[in-house]
Coordinates of all heavy atoms in Angstrom, one line a residue:
R1 N 15.2 -19.6 -12.8 CA 15.6 -18.5 -12.1 C 14.5 -17.4 -12.0 O 14.0 -17.0 -13.0 CB 16.9 -17.9 -12.8 CG 17.5 -16.7 -12.1 CD 18.7 -16.2 -12.8 NE 18.4 -14.8 -13.0 CZ 18.7 -14.1 -14.0 NH1 19.5 -14.6 -14.9 NH2 18.5 -12.9 -14.0
P2 N 14.2 -16.9 -10.8 CA 13.1 -16.0 -10.7 C 13.5 -14.6 -11.1 O 14.7 -14.2 -11.0 CB 12.7 -16.0 -9.2 CG 13.9 -16.4 -8.5 CD 14.7 -17.3 -9.5
D3 N 12.5 -13.8 -11.6 CA 12.7 -12.3 -11.8 C 12.2 -11.6 -10.5 O 11.3 -12.0 -9.9 CB 11.9 -11.9 -13.0 CG 12.5 -12.3 -14.4 OD1 13.7 -12.4 -14.4 OD2 11.7 -12.6 -15.2
Y4 N 12.9 -10.5 -10.2 CA 12.5 -9.7 -9.0 C 12.0 -8.4 -9.5 O 12.6 -7.8 -10.4 CB 13.7 -9.5 -8.1 CG 14.3 -10.8 -7.5 CD1 15.3 -11.5 -8.1 CD2 13.8 -11.3 -6.3 CE1 15.8 -12.6 -7.6 CE2 14.3 -12.5 -5.8 CZ 15.3 -13.1 -6.4 OH 15.8 -14.3 -5.9
I5 N 10.9 -8.0 -8.9 CA 10.4 -6.7 -9.2 C 10.1 -5.9 -7.9 O 9.5 -6.4 -7.0 CB 9.0 -6.8 -10.0 CG1 9.1 -7.6 -11.2 CG2 8.4 -5.4 -10.3 CD1 7.8 -8.0 -11.9
L6 N 10.7 -4.7 -7.8 CA 10.6 -3.9 -6.6 C 9.9 -2.6 -7.0 O 10.3 -2.0 -7.9 CB 12.0 -3.6 -6.0 CG 12.0 -2.8 -4.7 CD1 11.3 -3.5 -3.6 CD2 13.5 -2.5 -4.4
G7 N 8.8 -2.3 -6.2 CA 8.0 -1.1 -6.5 C 7.8 -0.3 -5.3 O 7.8 -0.8 -4.2
F8 N 7.6 1.0 -5.5 CA 7.4 2.0 -4.4 C 6.2 2.9 -4.9 O 6.0 3.1 -6.0 CB 8.6 2.8 -4.2 CG 9.8 2.1 -3.8 CD1 10.8 1.8 -4.7 CD2 10.0 1.6 -2.5 CE1 11.9 1.1 -4.4 CE2 11.2 0.9 -2.2 CZ 12.1 0.6 -3.1
R9 N 5.5 3.4 -3.8 CA 4.5 4.4 -4.1 C 4.4 5.4 -3.0 O 4.5 5.0 -1.8 CB 3.1 3.7 -4.2 CG 2.0 4.6 -4.5 CD 0.7 3.8 -4.6 NE 0.2 3.6 -3.3 CZ -1.1 3.9 -2.9 NH1 -1.9 4.5 -3.7 NH2 -1.4 3.7 -1.6
F10 N 4.4 6.7 -3.3 CA 4.2 7.7 -2.3 C 2.8 8.3 -2.6 O 2.5 8.7 -3.8 CB 5.3 8.8 -2.5 CG 5.1 9.9 -1.5 CD1 5.5 9.8 -0.2 CD2 4.5 11.1 -2.0 CE1 5.3 10.9 0.7 CE2 4.3 12.1 -1.1 CZ 4.7 12.0 0.2
H11 N 2.0 8.5 -1.6 CA 0.6 9.0 -1.7 C 0.4 10.1 -0.7 O 0.7 9.9 0.5 CB -0.3 7.8 -1.5 CG -1.7 8.2 -1.5 ND1 -2.5 8.5 -2.6 CD2 -2.6 8.4 -0.4 CE1 -3.7 8.8 -2.2 NE2 -3.8 8.8 -0.9
Y12 N -0.1 11.2 -1.2 CA -0.5 12.3 -0.2 C -2.0 12.5 -0.4 O -2.5 12.6 -1.5 CB 0.2 13.6 -0.5 CG -0.2 14.7 0.4 CD1 0.2 14.7 1.8 CD2 -1.1 15.7 0.0 CE1 -0.2 15.7 2.6 CE2 -1.5 16.7 0.9 CZ -1.1 16.7 2.2 OH -1.5 17.6 3.0
N13 N -2.7 12.5 0.8 CA -4.2 12.8 0.8 C -4.4 14.0 1.6 O -3.9 14.2 2.7 CB -4.8 11.5 1.5 CG -6.4 11.6 1.4 OD1 -7.0 12.7 1.5 ND2 -7.0 10.5 1.1
T14 N -5.2 15.0 1.0 CA -5.5 16.2 1.7 C -6.4 16.1 2.8 O -6.6 17.1 3.5 CB -6.0 17.2 0.6 OG1 -7.2 16.7 0.1 CG2 -5.0 17.5 -0.5
G15 N -7.0 15.0 3.1 CA -7.9 14.9 4.2 C -9.4 14.9 3.6 O -9.7 15.6 2.7
R16 N -10.2 14.1 4.3 CA -11.6 14.1 3.8 C -12.3 15.5 4.0 O -12.0 16.1 5.1 CB -12.4 13.0 4.5 CG -11.9 11.6 4.1 CD -12.7 10.5 4.7 NE -12.9 10.7 6.1 CZ -13.9 10.2 6.8 NH1 -14.9 9.5 6.2 NH2 -14.0 10.4 8.1
P17 N -13.2 15.9 3.2 CA -13.9 17.1 3.4 C -15.0 17.0 4.5 O -15.6 15.9 4.7 CB -14.6 17.4 2.0 CG -14.6 16.1 1.3 CD -13.5 15.2 1.9
L18 N -15.1 18.0 5.2 CA -16.2 18.2 6.2 C -17.4 19.0 5.7 O -17.2 20.1 5.4 CB -15.7 18.8 7.5 CG -14.5 18.1 8.2 CD1 -13.9 19.0 9.3 CD2 -15.0 16.8 8.7
L19 N -18.5 18.4 5.5 CA -19.6 19.0 4.8 C -20.2 20.1 5.7 O -20.7 21.1 5.1 CB -20.7 18.0 4.4 CG -20.1 16.9 3.4 CD1 -21.2 15.9 3.2 CD2 -19.6 17.5 2.2
E20 N -20.2 19.9 7.0 CA -21.0 20.9 7.8 C -20.3 22.3 8.0 O -20.9 23.3 8.1 CB -21.2 20.3 9.3 CG -19.9 19.9 10.0 CD -19.5 18.5 9.8 OE1 -20.2 17.8 9.0 OE2 -18.5 18.1 10.3
D21 N -18.9 22.3 7.8 CA -18.3 23.6 7.9 C -17.3 23.9 6.8 O -16.5 24.8 6.9 CB -17.6 23.7 9.3 CG -16.5 22.7 9.4 OD1 -16.2 22.0 8.5 OD2 -15.9 22.7 10.6
R22 N -17.4 23.2 5.8 CA -16.5 23.3 4.5 C -15.0 23.2 4.8 O -14.2 23.7 4.0 CB -16.9 24.7 3.8 CG -18.3 24.7 3.4 CD -18.5 25.9 2.5 NE -19.9 26.0 2.1 CZ -20.3 25.6 0.9 NH1 -19.4 25.2 0.0 NH2 -21.6 25.7 0.5
G23 N -14.7 22.6 5.9 CA -13.3 22.4 6.2 C -12.8 21.0 5.7 O -13.6 20.3 5.0
R24 N -11.7 20.6 6.2 CA -11.1 19.3 5.9 C -10.5 18.7 7.0 O -10.0 19.4 7.9 CB -10.1 19.4 4.7 CG -10.7 19.8 3.4 CD -9.6 19.7 2.3 NE -9.6 18.5 1.6 CZ -10.4 18.1 0.7 NH1 -11.5 18.8 0.5 NH2 -10.3 17.0 0.1
L25 N -10.5 17.4 7.1 CA -9.7 16.7 8.1 C -8.2 16.9 7.8 O -7.8 17.3 6.7 CB -10.0 15.2 8.2 CG -11.5 14.9 8.6 CD1 -11.7 13.3 8.5 CD2 -11.7 15.3 10.0
N26 N -7.3 16.5 8.7 CA -5.9 16.6 8.6 C -5.4 15.8 7.4 O -5.9 14.7 7.2 CB -5.1 16.2 9.8 CG -5.4 17.2 11.0 OD1 -5.7 18.3 10.7 ND2 -5.2 16.7 12.1
G27 N -4.5 16.3 6.6 CA -3.9 15.6 5.5 C -2.9 14.6 6.0 O -2.5 14.7 7.2
Y28 N -2.6 13.6 5.2 CA -1.5 12.7 5.6 C -0.9 12.1 4.4 O -1.4 12.3 3.2 CB -2.2 11.5 6.5 CG -3.1 10.6 5.7 CD1 -2.7 9.4 5.0 CD2 -4.4 11.0 5.5 CE1 -3.6 8.7 4.4 CE2 -5.3 10.2 4.8 CZ -4.9 9.1 4.2 OH -5.7 8.3 3.5
Y29 N 0.3 11.5 4.6 CA 1.0 10.8 3.5 C 1.3 9.4 3.8 O 1.3 9.0 5.0 CB 2.2 11.6 3.0 CG 3.3 11.6 4.1 CD1 4.2 10.6 4.1 CD2 3.3 12.7 5.0 CE1 5.2 10.6 5.1 CE2 4.3 12.7 6.0 CZ 5.2 11.7 6.1 OH 6.2 11.7 7.0
Q30 N 1.5 8.6 2.9 CA 1.9 7.2 3.1 C 2.9 6.8 2.1 O 2.9 7.2 0.9 CB 0.8 6.3 3.3 CG 0.0 5.9 2.0 CD -1.2 5.1 2.3 OE1 -1.9 5.3 3.2 NE2 -1.4 4.0 1.6
F31 N 3.8 5.9 2.5 CA 4.8 5.3 1.5 C 4.6 3.8 1.5 O 4.6 3.2 2.6 CB 6.2 5.7 2.1 CG 7.3 5.2 1.2 CD1 7.5 5.8 0.0 CD2 8.1 4.1 1.6 CE1 8.6 5.3 -0.9 CE2 9.1 3.7 0.8 CZ 9.4 4.3 -0.5
D32 N 4.4 3.2 0.4 CA 4.2 1.8 0.3 C 5.3 1.1 -0.5 O 5.9 1.8 -1.4 CB 2.8 1.5 -0.5 CG 1.6 2.2 0.1 OD1 1.7 2.5 1.3 OD2 0.7 2.4 -0.6
T33 N 5.5 -0.1 -0.3 CA 6.5 -0.8 -1.1 C 6.1 -2.3 -1.4 O 5.2 -2.8 -0.6 CB 7.9 -0.9 -0.4 OG1 8.9 -1.4 -1.3 CG2 7.9 -1.6 0.9
R34 N 6.6 -2.9 -2.5 CA 6.2 -4.2 -2.8 C 7.4 -4.9 -3.5 O 8.1 -4.3 -4.3 CB 5.0 -4.2 -3.8 CG 4.6 -5.6 -4.3 CD 3.3 -5.5 -5.1 NE 3.0 -6.7 -5.7 CZ 1.8 -7.3 -5.6 NH1 0.8 -6.7 -5.0 NH2 1.6 -8.5 -6.2
L35 N 7.6 -6.2 -3.1 CA 8.6 -7.0 -3.8 C 7.9 -8.2 -4.4 O 7.2 -8.9 -3.6 CB 9.7 -7.4 -2.7 CG 10.7 -8.4 -3.2 CD1 11.5 -7.7 -4.4 CD2 11.6 -8.9 -2.1
D36 N 8.1 -8.5 -5.6 CA 7.6 -9.6 -6.3 C 8.7 -10.5 -6.8 O 9.7 -10.1 -7.2 CB 6.8 -9.2 -7.6 CG 5.5 -8.6 -7.3 OD1 5.5 -7.3 -7.0 OD2 4.5 -9.2 -7.3
L37 N 8.5 -11.9 -6.6 CA 9.4 -12.9 -7.2 C 8.6 -13.6 -8.2 O 7.5 -14.3 -7.8 CB 9.8 -13.9 -6.1 CG 11.0 -13.3 -5.2 CD1 10.5 -12.3 -4.2 CD2 11.6 -14.5 -4.5
L38 N 8.9 -13.5 -9.4 CA 8.1 -14.0 -10.5 C 8.8 -15.1 -11.3 O 10.0 -14.9 -11.7 CB 7.8 -12.8 -11.5 CG 6.9 -13.0 -12.6 CD1 5.5 -13.3 -12.2 CD2 6.9 -11.8 -13.5
W39 N 8.2 -16.3 -11.3 CA 8.7 -17.4 -12.1 C 7.8 -17.6 -13.4 O 6.6 -17.8 -13.2 CB 8.6 -18.7 -11.3 CG 9.8 -18.9 -10.4 CD1 11.0 -19.5 -10.7 CD2 9.8 -18.6 -9.0 NE1 11.7 -19.5 -9.6 CE2 11.1 -18.9 -8.5 CE3 8.9 -18.0 -8.1 CZ2 11.4 -18.7 -7.2 CZ3 9.3 -17.8 -6.8 CH2 10.5 -18.2 -6.4
I40 N 8.5 -17.5 -14.5 CA 7.7 -17.7 -15.8 C 8.2 -18.9 -16.4 O 9.5 -19.1 -16.7 CB 8.0 -16.5 -16.7 CG1 7.5 -15.2 -16.0 CG2 7.3 -16.7 -18.0 CD1 7.8 -13.9 -16.8
K41 N 7.3 -19.9 -16.6 CA 7.7 -21.2 -17.3 C 6.9 -21.2 -18.6 O 6.1 -20.4 -18.9 CB 7.3 -22.4 -16.4 CG 8.0 -22.3 -15.1 CD 9.5 -22.6 -15.3 CE 10.3 -22.6 -14.0 NZ 11.7 -22.7 -14.2
D42 N 7.0 -22.3 -19.3 CA 6.4 -22.5 -20.7 C 4.8 -22.5 -20.5 O 4.1 -21.9 -21.3 CB 6.8 -23.8 -21.4 CG 8.3 -23.6 -21.8 OD1 8.7 -22.5 -22.0 OD2 8.9 -24.7 -22.0
T43 N 4.3 -23.2 -19.5 CA 2.8 -23.3 -19.4 C 2.2 -22.6 -18.2 O 1.0 -22.7 -18.0 CB 2.5 -24.8 -19.3 OG1 3.2 -25.4 -18.2 CG2 2.9 -25.6 -20.6
Y44 N 3.1 -22.0 -17.3 CA 2.5 -21.3 -16.2 C 3.4 -20.2 -15.7 O 4.6 -20.2 -16.0 CB 2.2 -22.3 -15.0 CG 3.4 -23.0 -14.5 CD1 4.1 -22.4 -13.4 CD2 3.9 -24.1 -15.0 CE1 5.2 -23.0 -12.9 CE2 5.0 -24.7 -14.5 CZ 5.7 -24.2 -13.4 OH 6.8 -24.8 -12.9
T45 N 2.8 -19.4 -14.9 CA 3.5 -18.2 -14.2 C 3.1 -18.3 -12.7 O 1.9 -18.4 -12.4 CB 3.2 -16.9 -14.8 OG1 3.5 -16.9 -16.2 CG2 3.9 -15.8 -14.2
V46 N 4.1 -18.1 -11.8 CA 3.8 -18.0 -10.4 C 4.5 -16.7 -9.9 O 5.7 -16.5 -10.2 CB 4.4 -19.2 -9.7 CG1 4.2 -19.1 -8.1 CG2 3.8 -20.5 -10.2
D47 N 3.7 -16.0 -9.1 CA 4.2 -14.7 -8.5 C 4.0 -14.7 -7.0 O 2.9 -14.9 -6.5 CB 3.4 -13.6 -9.1 CG 3.7 -12.2 -8.6 OD1 4.8 -12.1 -8.0 OD2 3.0 -11.3 -8.8
F48 N 5.1 -14.7 -6.3 CA 5.1 -14.5 -4.8 C 5.4 -13.1 -4.5 O 6.2 -12.5 -5.1 CB 6.1 -15.5 -4.1 CG 5.9 -16.9 -4.3 CD1 6.6 -17.6 -5.3 CD2 5.0 -17.6 -3.5 CE1 6.4 -18.9 -5.5 CE2 4.8 -18.9 -3.7 CZ 5.5 -19.6 -4.7
Y49 N 4.6 -12.5 -3.5 CA 4.9 -11.1 -3.2 C 4.8 -10.8 -1.7 O 4.1 -11.5 -1.0 CB 3.9 -10.2 -4.0 CG 2.4 -10.4 -3.7 CD1 1.8 -9.8 -2.6 CD2 1.6 -11.4 -4.3 CE1 0.5 -10.0 -2.2 CE2 0.4 -11.6 -4.0 CZ -0.2 -10.9 -3.0 OH -1.5 -11.1 -2.6
I50 N 5.4 -9.7 -1.4 CA 5.4 -9.1 -0.1 C 5.0 -7.6 -0.3 O 5.7 -6.9 -1.1 CB 6.7 -9.2 0.7 CG1 7.1 -10.6 0.9 CG2 6.6 -8.4 2.0 CD1 8.5 -10.8 1.5
D51 N 3.9 -7.2 0.3 CA 3.4 -5.8 0.1 C 3.3 -5.1 1.4 O 2.7 -5.7 2.3 CB 2.0 -5.9 -0.6 CG 1.6 -4.6 -1.3 OD1 2.4 -3.6 -1.1 OD2 0.6 -4.6 -1.9
I52 N 3.9 -4.0 1.6 CA 3.7 -3.3 2.9 C 3.1 -1.9 2.6 O 3.7 -1.1 1.9 CB 5.1 -3.1 3.6 CG1 5.7 -4.5 3.8 CG2 4.9 -2.4 5.0 CD1 7.1 -4.4 4.4
I53 N 1.9 -1.7 3.2 CA 1.2 -0.4 3.0 C 1.4 0.5 4.2 O 1.4 0.0 5.4 CB -0.3 -0.7 2.8 CG1 -0.4 -1.4 1.5 CG2 -1.1 0.7 2.7 CD1 -1.9 -1.9 1.2
N54 N 1.7 1.8 4.0 CA 2.0 2.8 5.0 C 3.2 2.5 5.8 O 3.2 2.4 7.0 CB 0.7 3.0 5.9 CG 0.7 4.3 6.6 OD1 1.5 5.2 6.3 ND2 -0.1 4.3 7.6
L55 N 4.3 2.2 5.1 CA 5.6 1.9 5.8 C 6.0 3.0 6.8 O 6.7 2.7 7.7 CB 6.6 1.7 4.7 CG 7.9 1.1 5.0 CD1 7.7 -0.3 5.6 CD2 8.8 1.0 3.8
T56 N 5.6 4.2 6.5 CA 6.0 5.3 7.4 C 5.1 5.4 8.7 O 5.4 6.2 9.5 CB 5.9 6.6 6.7 OG1 4.7 6.8 6.1 CG2 7.0 6.7 5.6
C57 N 4.1 4.6 8.7 CA 3.1 4.6 9.9 C 2.5 6.0 10.2 O 2.3 6.4 11.3 CB 3.9 4.0 11.2 SG 2.7 3.5 12.4
Q58 N 2.2 6.7 9.1 CA 1.5 8.0 9.3 C 0.0 7.7 9.7 O -0.6 6.8 9.2 CB 1.5 8.7 8.0 CG 2.9 9.2 7.7 CD 3.4 10.3 8.8 OE1 2.7 11.2 9.0 NE2 4.6 10.0 9.4
G59 N -0.5 8.6 10.5 CA -1.9 8.4 10.9 C -2.9 9.0 10.0 O -2.7 10.0 9.3
E60 N -4.1 8.4 9.9 CA -5.2 8.9 9.1 C -6.3 9.3 10.0 O -6.8 8.5 10.8 CB -5.7 7.8 8.1 CG -6.9 8.3 7.3 CD -7.4 7.2 6.4 OE1 -6.8 6.1 6.3 OE2 -8.4 7.4 5.7
Q61 N -6.7 10.6 9.9 CA -7.8 11.1 10.8 C -9.1 10.8 10.2 O -9.4 11.1 9.0 CB -7.7 12.6 11.0 CG -8.6 13.2 12.1 CD -8.4 14.6 12.3 OE1 -7.8 15.3 11.4 NE2 -8.9 15.1 13.4
L62 N -10.0 10.1 10.9 CA -11.3 9.6 10.4 C -12.5 10.6 10.8 O -13.4 10.7 10.1 CB -11.6 8.2 10.9 CG -10.6 7.2 10.5 CD1 -11.0 5.8 11.0 CD2 -10.5 7.1 9.0
S63 N -12.3 11.3 12.0 CA -13.4 12.1 12.4 C -12.8 13.4 13.1 O -11.7 13.3 13.6 CB -14.3 11.4 13.5 OG -14.9 10.3 12.9
P64 N -13.5 14.5 13.0 CA -12.9 15.7 13.6 C -12.7 15.5 15.2 O -13.5 14.9 15.8 CB -14.0 16.7 13.4 CG -14.9 16.2 12.3 CD -14.8 14.7 12.4
G65 N -11.6 16.0 15.7 CA -11.3 16.0 17.1 C -10.7 14.7 17.5 O -10.4 14.6 18.7
E66 N -10.7 13.6 16.7 CA -10.1 12.4 17.1 C -8.7 12.3 16.7 O -8.2 12.9 15.8 CB -10.9 11.2 16.4 CG -12.3 11.0 17.0 CD -13.0 9.8 16.4 OE1 -12.3 9.0 15.7 OE2 -14.2 9.7 16.7
E67 N -7.9 11.4 17.5 CA -6.5 11.2 17.2 C -6.5 10.3 15.8 O -7.3 9.5 15.6 CB -5.9 10.4 18.3 CG -5.6 11.2 19.5 CD -4.6 12.3 19.3 OE1 -3.5 12.0 18.6 OE2 -4.8 13.4 19.7
P68 N -5.5 10.6 15.0 CA -5.3 9.8 13.8 C -5.0 8.4 14.1 O -4.4 8.1 15.1 CB -4.1 10.5 13.1 CG -4.0 11.8 13.6 CD -4.5 11.7 15.1
I69 N -5.5 7.5 13.3 CA -5.3 6.0 13.4 C -4.0 5.7 12.7 O -3.9 6.0 11.5 CB -6.4 5.2 12.9 CG1 -7.7 5.5 13.7 CG2 -6.1 3.7 12.9 CD1 -8.9 4.9 13.2
K70 N -3.1 5.1 13.4 CA -1.8 4.8 12.7 C -1.8 3.3 12.5 O -2.2 2.5 13.4 CB -0.6 5.1 13.7 CG -0.5 6.6 13.8 CD 0.7 7.0 14.7 CE 0.8 8.5 14.7 NZ 2.0 8.9 15.5
Y71 N -1.3 2.9 11.3 CA -1.3 1.5 11.0 C -0.3 1.2 9.9 O 0.2 2.1 9.1 CB -2.7 1.0 10.4 CG -3.1 1.7 9.1 CD1 -2.7 1.2 7.9 CD2 -3.7 2.9 9.1 CE1 -3.0 1.8 6.7 CE2 -4.0 3.6 8.0 CZ -3.7 3.0 6.7 OH -4.0 3.7 5.6
V72 N 0.2 -0.1 9.9 CA 1.1 -0.6 8.8 C 0.4 -1.9 8.4 O 0.0 -2.7 9.3 CB 2.5 -0.9 9.4 CG1 3.4 -1.5 8.3 CG2 3.2 0.4 9.8
L73 N 0.2 -2.1 7.2 CA -0.5 -3.3 6.7 C 0.5 -4.2 5.8 O 0.6 -3.9 4.6 CB -1.7 -2.9 5.9 CG -2.6 -4.0 5.4 CD1 -3.1 -4.9 6.5 CD2 -3.8 -3.4 4.5
P74 N 1.1 -5.2 6.4 CA 1.9 -6.1 5.6 C 1.1 -7.2 5.0 O 0.1 -7.7 5.7 CB 2.9 -6.6 6.6 CG 2.2 -6.5 7.9 CD 1.2 -5.4 7.8
T75 N 1.3 -7.6 3.8 CA 0.6 -8.6 3.1 C 1.6 -9.5 2.4 O 2.5 -9.0 1.8 CB -0.4 -8.0 2.1 OG1 -1.2 -7.1 2.7 CG2 -1.2 -9.1 1.5
I76 N 1.4 -10.8 2.5 CA 2.2 -11.8 1.7 C 1.2 -12.6 0.9 O 0.1 -12.8 1.4 CB 3.1 -12.6 2.5 CG1 2.3 -13.5 3.6 CG2 4.2 -11.8 3.2 CD1 3.2 -14.4 4.3
G77 N 1.6 -13.1 -0.3 CA 0.7 -13.9 -1.0 C 1.3 -14.4 -2.3 O 2.5 -14.2 -2.5
A78 N 0.6 -15.1 -3.0 CA 1.0 -15.8 -4.2 C -0.2 -15.9 -5.2 O -1.3 -16.1 -4.7 CB 1.6 -17.1 -4.0
H79 N 0.1 -15.9 -6.5 CA -1.0 -16.2 -7.4 C -0.3 -16.8 -8.6 O 0.9 -16.5 -8.9 CB -1.8 -15.0 -7.7 CG -1.2 -13.9 -8.4 ND1 -0.6 -12.9 -7.7 CD2 -1.1 -13.6 -9.7 CE1 -0.1 -12.0 -8.6 NE2 -0.4 -12.4 -9.8
G80 N -1.0 -17.6 -9.3 CA -0.5 -18.3 -10.5 C -1.4 -18.1 -11.7 O -2.6 -17.9 -11.5
T81 N -0.8 -18.2 -12.8 CA -1.6 -18.2 -14.1 C -1.2 -19.4 -14.9 O 0.0 -19.7 -15.1 CB -1.2 -16.9 -14.9 OG1 -1.5 -15.8 -14.0 CG2 -2.0 -16.8 -16.1
F82 N -2.2 -20.1 -15.4 CA -1.9 -21.3 -16.2 C -2.4 -21.1 -17.6 O -3.3 -20.5 -17.9 CB -2.6 -22.5 -15.6 CG -2.2 -22.8 -14.2 CD1 -2.7 -22.3 -13.1 CD2 -1.0 -23.6 -14.0 CE1 -2.3 -22.5 -11.8 CE2 -0.6 -23.9 -12.8 CZ -1.2 -23.3 -11.6

């Protein structure tokens, strides 16, 4: 029977500093979540996961005067330990 692990992360970034005028780019926040299905046996462990970064689709401004780039980054994967 697998174990389930559900995790969340909230992150706020104040924006990158602008060196030429001592200002900052726009701040943004993001909310991430991850679900792990973990199988632990006598000789090995297997972990399947789904990870979604920036679930709120908030934009990150990369340069002054440009529109923020909005993205959601879903990832699925597995890893094992023997």
Side-chain angles (χ1 to χ4, degrees):
R1 181 181 127 211
D3 288 326
Y4 297 92
I5 302 169
L6 181 62
F8 302 98
R9 181 179 81 126
F10 178 80
H11 172 78
Y12 179 75
N13 189 319
T14 59
R16 293 187 310 155
L18 300 172
L19 300 177
E20 58 271 359
D21 64 3
R22 296 184 181 263
R24 294 185 93 72
L25 294 176
N26 294 334
Y28 66 94
Y29 64 90
Q30 67 184 51
F31 181 74
D32 307 336
T33 187
R34 178 177 173 127
L35 175 64
D36 288 83
L37 282 72
L38 185 64
W39 277 275
I40 301 173
K41 300 294 182 184
D42 291 336
T43 57
Y44 64 92
T45 302
V46 179
D47 180 16
F48 296 98
Y49 62 88
I50 299 171
D51 197 357
I52 303 174
I53 296 174
N54 200 15
L55 193 61
T56 54
C57 196
Q58 290 294 307
E60 178 180 356
Q61 188 177 19
L62 300 178
S63 297
E66 290 186 7
E67 288 293 316
I69 296 175
K70 295 182 178 185
Y71 63 91
V72 174
L73 182 60
T75 306
I76 58 173
H79 65 273
T81 306
F82 299 92

